[in-house]
Amino acid sequence: MFHLSIKTDKYFKMKKDIMSRADIEKVVRLFYDKVKADEIISFFFCDVVEVNWEKHHILMCDFWENVLFYTGDYQGNPMDTHKRINALHRTESVHFQKWEELFYSSVDSLYKGKNAEKMKQHAKAIVEVMLNKL
């Protein structure tokens, strides 16, 4: 006789979608932890520019919350910021590809759903714009 057991939540947890600012904060923190440890792009954040990480996290959470939930809280111009960084040290496609890879893996490790996909698609569009404009 076969015994079929259903996995309980304790052992099998389905990923939920990004539904709140708290969810966005988890993605942003995980992503920047990965960025700071990465051999290819960490120097932009640690050597090329001096990043106030708390302010940067808040700004990035405002940005992504506006992208996903249309809050209108984001105030900034990412293109101008990246142009200034590019003037200090040339950014190349390998840098943006690594950024995108780390971003996708951060989202995918925590969430799954419509908003998670929207966040990744918007990140892909950002990379394409940056590559074309810088």
Side-chain angles (χ1 to χ4, degrees):
M1 174 180 266
F2 290 99
H3 177 67
L4 181 63
S5 63
I6 298 174
K7 294 180 180 179
T8 64
D9 197 42
K10 180 178 176 183
Y11 300 104
F12 181 74
K13 188 170 183 173
M14 300 259 315
K15 290 180 187 171
K16 66 177 189 131
D17 199 2
I18 298 167
M19 301 303 292
S20 67
R21 183 174 179 104
D23 295 338
I24 292 168
E25 288 171 357
K26 288 178 189 174
V27 171
V28 168
R29 292 221 179 260
L30 176 59
F31 170 68
Y32 283 110
D33 286 346
K34 290 180 179 189
V35 164
K36 288 186 256 185
D38 186 77
E39 293 178 6
I40 295 174
I41 63 172
S42 65
F43 74 96
F44 281 104
F45 298 87
C46 300
D47 300 328
V48 176
V49 294
E50 188 175 326
V51 176
N52 177 323
W53 287 106
E54 265 323 294
K55 285 184 180 180
H56 191 66
H57 282 118
I58 291 167
L59 184 67
M60 292 299 92
C61 290
D62 287 349
F63 174 81
W64 288 110
E65 191 175 29
N66 189 55
V67 167
L68 294 179
F69 307 124
Y70 310 104
T71 60
D73 291 337
Y74 176 72
Q75 300 295 319
N77 187 327
M79 186 54 68
D80 284 348
T81 301
H82 287 88
K83 282 181 180 178
R84 285 193 305 275
I85 294 168
N86 190 57
L88 297 171
H89 189 286
R90 182 166 165 73
T91 49
E92 299 176 13
S93 62
V94 66
H95 302 127
F96 288 109
Q97 290 165 354
K98 178 52 79 168
W99 181 92
E100 185 177 18
E101 174 189 318
L102 295 174
F103 192 83
Y104 273 44
S105 70
S106 298
V107 173
D108 287 342
S109 70
L110 296 169
Y111 299 101
K112 182 177 184 177
K114 184 184 81 167
N115 289 332
E117 288 305 312
K118 182 178 179 181
M119 199 173 194
K120 292 188 308 183
Q121 288 305 312
H122 197 84
K124 182 177 186 64
I126 290 169
V127 168
E128 290 171 2
V129 168
M130 294 292 175
L131 286 172
N132 288 325
K133 300 242 179 190
L134 293 179

